[in-house]
Amino acid sequence: MKKIFILLFLTAVSFGCSDNLERLPLTTIGEPAFWKTSNDAINGVNGVYNVLADNNMYRDFMRHSDALSDNAYSQYSFNYYLEISEGKSYDASSVLPKSIWTKAYEGIVRANTVIEKVPTIEMDAILKTRILGEAHFLRALFYFHLTNLYGNVPLVLKHQTVEESLVPRDPKATVVAQIITDLSTAANSLPTSYTASDVGRVTKGAALALKSRVFLYNKMYSEAATASKEVMAMSYSLLPTKDFGAQFLPDKENNAQESIFEVQFLGNTGITGAGSAFNGSSGALRNFGNSYTPLKNLVDSFEPGDIRLAASVLQPGETFAGTTYDPQNSPTKLAFKKSIIPDANITGDGGANFVVIRYAEILLNYAEAQNEVSGPDATVYDAINKIRTRAGLAALPQTFSKETLREAIKKERRAEFVLEGHRYFDLLRYGATDMKAAMERVTSVVGHVRLYNERLLLWPVPQVETTINPNLLPQNSGW
């Protein structure tokens, strides 16, 4: 699959200039002239995957989003995370809400083009079905991110002219229903695994796994438990304790045991943006940048003996890449270790993938959903205790109430998924009480104060979009 990323990067130009997207994300982005052969279909869907590797998706945003939670601190105002984390000084004109909206719709427009054009190509039927399944999965993923951040968003499922694109926002429930439909289509169209250069494409397991997350986020707990059980019945399992940290590094990428879907990055190519930028933001070595660093509150949240702490966070006196960690350049005196390749020469062109979905999430999705459906039972404890045992912790006794187990699962998710694009989005879905408490827990950085406001549970629709298209109004509450 590393080979495929080169195609992703180079064939993205097949979708033409994105100037219109920068101006109006729901317009066409230039019709590709090919769409004649199976290779065109493959290159077309590769261009959809390419959007995932952008800074405003999985190359930076999903990791950096931990700095919008109580896990991390983003110290520089120029990258726009600081203002959002503080809950002030940002509004509908701010850069980050616009950038994420624009990038997600770029991916959707590309996926829509594949879904419209590929059926007209004379090609192998099995390959055609697979490519369409990939496009449906990817469209669902982009819409999922949009609904989590903005709530109601325009549901666009086909090519639009500029005039046709001036549409209102659809209710979140309508968009979520389409996400589930797309994921069902994908699950029925995709293989369970790939070989050779196709390793890393989305699979049936990925579609079912994302469906479990979508159901969970939208409080459809019975459906989330069912979708999780479908994945649990497949061939996935947890990696052993010794490989917890290694699964985020190139040697264990796409391992097909715990990994379910990863965004692919290829290091040392000389192609801007082809590699991951995780090292350069971590501060783990003196020559690495430290855009975002762990908070003391994150470290304190781990139970004694939890191996996930040392796999995720580098503390003063610890050794990394043969060097004793020097915290002098870190505003929190800590650095991130998860996904960081121990090589001082790798900064902005790394080969570490972003692990989007892994089996550990499915176990915790099931535990949370089943607990909400019927309270603690043996299957719920079994799922969460598999995670805890791998982490070197004692199993939870089967004495919890539904409410106390809910809180235990929240704590487990925080420890398990550091920098994996979960914590901030978990806080958003948990709601006002959890988000407010998380912001108030951040007290260890001098001069950094976080102020909660109800409006922070949804981002504003970008002002540039509402100016172009007033039909997107009314704005989200409080903005």
Side-chain angles (χ1 to χ4, degrees):
M1 184 61 179
K2 290 297 189 181
K3 188 189 301 182
I4 205 174
F5 187 85
I6 296 297
L7 290 175
L8 296 182
F9 197 87
L10 296 179
T11 63
V13 296
S14 300
F15 280 86
C17 177
S18 61
D19 286 348
N20 284 338
L21 269 171
E22 292 302 318
R23 180 174 55 84
L24 182 62
L26 306 187
T27 67
T28 179
I29 52 175
E31 282 297 308
F34 51 99
W35 301 117
K36 303 292 185 185
T37 68
S38 59
N39 281 339
D40 295 338
I42 292 170
N43 288 341
V45 78
N46 286 355
V48 190
Y49 281 98
N50 176 259
V51 178
L52 297 178
D54 188 84
N55 280 338
N56 291 305
M57 283 289 157
Y58 288 94
R59 192 170 187 264
D60 181 59
F61 173 65
M62 287 301 166
R63 282 175 64 88
H64 211 150
S65 69
D66 264 30
L68 306 180
S69 78
D70 49 355
N71 277 1
Y73 169 65
S74 183
Q75 66 171 319
Y76 299 119
S77 59
F78 63 76
N79 63 27
Y80 312 113
Y81 291 82
L82 180 60
E83 61 180 6
I84 295 179
S85 72
E86 292 180 333
K88 56 186 179 181
S89 303
Y90 87 103
D91 54 30
S93 67
S94 296
V95 171
L96 201 57
K98 174 185 181 295
S99 298
I100 305 304
W101 174 285
T102 299
K103 190 52 60 175
Y105 273 110
E106 180 180 341
I108 289 164
V109 169
R110 292 185 180 196
N112 286 345
T113 304
V114 171
I115 292 167
E116 286 191 73
K117 297 295 185 180
V118 169
T120 67
I121 300 175
E122 292 187 10
M123 58 183 290
D124 177 78
I126 294 175
L127 178 59
K128 178 185 288 188
T129 298
R130 189 204 85 191
I131 289 171
L132 290 171
E134 292 175 79
H136 280 282
F137 173 95
L138 294 168
R139 182 169 72 181
L141 182 59
F142 291 122
Y143 269 123
F144 179 58
H145 293 324
L146 286 170
T147 58
N148 292 334
L149 291 170
Y150 306 95
N152 302 336
V153 295
L155 180 59
V156 180
L157 302 176
K158 62 183 182 66
H159 167 89
Q160 293 178 318
T161 64
V162 172
E163 292 74 19
E164 293 171 335
S165 71
L166 300 177
V167 295
R169 294 193 285 164
D170 291 276
K172 180 180 177 180
T174 301
V175 182
V176 169
Q178 182 60 49
I179 292 170
I180 297 302
T181 298
D182 275 349
L183 291 174
S184 296
T185 298
N188 292 328
S189 305
L190 295 169
T192 57
S193 63
Y194 295 93
T195 58
S197 62
D198 284 324
V199 170
R201 293 184 182 276
V202 291
T203 61
K204 178 183 182 72
L208 293 172
L210 182 56
K211 188 186 286 191
S212 83
R213 190 192 294 184
V214 175
F215 282 136
L216 184 69
Y217 272 49
N218 289 281
K219 296 180 169 52
M220 302 165 73
Y221 295 119
S222 179
E223 294 89 342
T226 298
S228 298
K229 285 194 289 187
E230 288 187 80
V231 183
M232 291 161 69
M234 300 177 77
S235 60
Y236 301 107
S237 62
L238 296 178
L239 288 168
T241 300
K242 67 181 180 63
D243 289 331
F244 176 80
Q247 68 182 309
F248 305 104
L249 298 173
D251 286 349
K252 290 288 182 181
E253 68 185 18
N254 304 315
N255 59 74
Q257 179 177 335
E258 182 164 350
S259 173
I260 298 178
F261 178 56
E262 302 180 14
V263 173
Q264 308 293 308
F265 289 102
L266 187 64
N268 301 314
T269 64
I271 302 174
T272 301
S276 52
F278 309 153
N279 274 32
S281 300
S282 71
L285 293 174
R286 288 291 299 273
N287 66 310
F288 290 176
N290 54 358
S291 297
Y292 47 96
T293 53
L295 286 164
K296 182 178 183 296
N297 178 260
L298 171 63
V299 173
D300 293 344
S301 71
F302 283 88
E303 295 178 42
D306 191 332
I307 63 96
R308 295 171 296 191
L309 174 57
S312 303
V313 176
L314 194 58
Q315 301 189 63
E318 295 181 345
T319 300
F320 180 75
T323 301
T324 300
Y325 171 57
D326 182 352
Q328 72 175 62
N329 292 329
S330 169
T332 63
K333 307 307 178 187
L334 300 162
F336 280 116
K337 184 178 178 182
K338 184 183 277 188
S339 300
I340 307 305
I341 300 170
D343 186 337
N345 296 315
I346 297 175
T347 54
D349 193 18
N353 291 344
F354 189 103
V355 181
V356 180
I357 311 173
R358 55 190 178 89
Y359 187 61
E361 179 192 346
I362 303 308
L363 293 174
L364 290 177
N365 287 357
Y366 174 77
E368 180 177 345
Q370 187 63 22
N371 184 56
E372 294 299 330
V373 169
S374 58
D377 63 29
T379 66
V380 173
Y381 284 110
D382 181 65
I384 191 171
N385 283 334
K386 284 178 180 176
I387 300 292
R388 289 179 60 81
T389 299
R390 199 260 298 269
L393 300 175
L396 293 181
Q398 297 190 19
T399 56
F400 284 71
S401 67
K402 180 177 182 177
E403 292 72 25
T404 55
L405 189 58
R406 179 188 296 136
E407 296 307 310
I409 292 169
K410 290 178 181 179
K411 182 177 179 181
E412 210 64 48
R413 289 181 67 90
R414 186 183 186 189
E416 183 73 19
F417 301 128
V418 173
L419 289 184
E420 295 182 53
H422 288 269
R423 181 60 176 170
Y424 176 61
F425 295 94
D426 277 346
L427 290 171
L428 288 176
R429 69 183 177 92
Y430 295 156
T433 299
D434 286 81
M435 180 63 83
K436 184 174 185 291
M439 294 181 73
E440 291 174 350
R441 279 194 293 268
V442 179
T443 59
S444 60
V445 181
V446 176
H448 178 59
V449 178
R450 300 188 178 187
L451 301 175
Y452 176 74
N453 186 296
E454 287 281 349
R455 71 177 187 171
L456 300 178
L457 295 176
L458 281 178
W459 283 16
V461 177
Q463 182 176 309
V464 64
E465 304 305 330
T466 58
T467 299
I468 294 169
N469 178 14
N471 292 323
L472 295 173
L473 297 170
Q475 182 59 270
N476 284 333
S477 178
W479 297 104

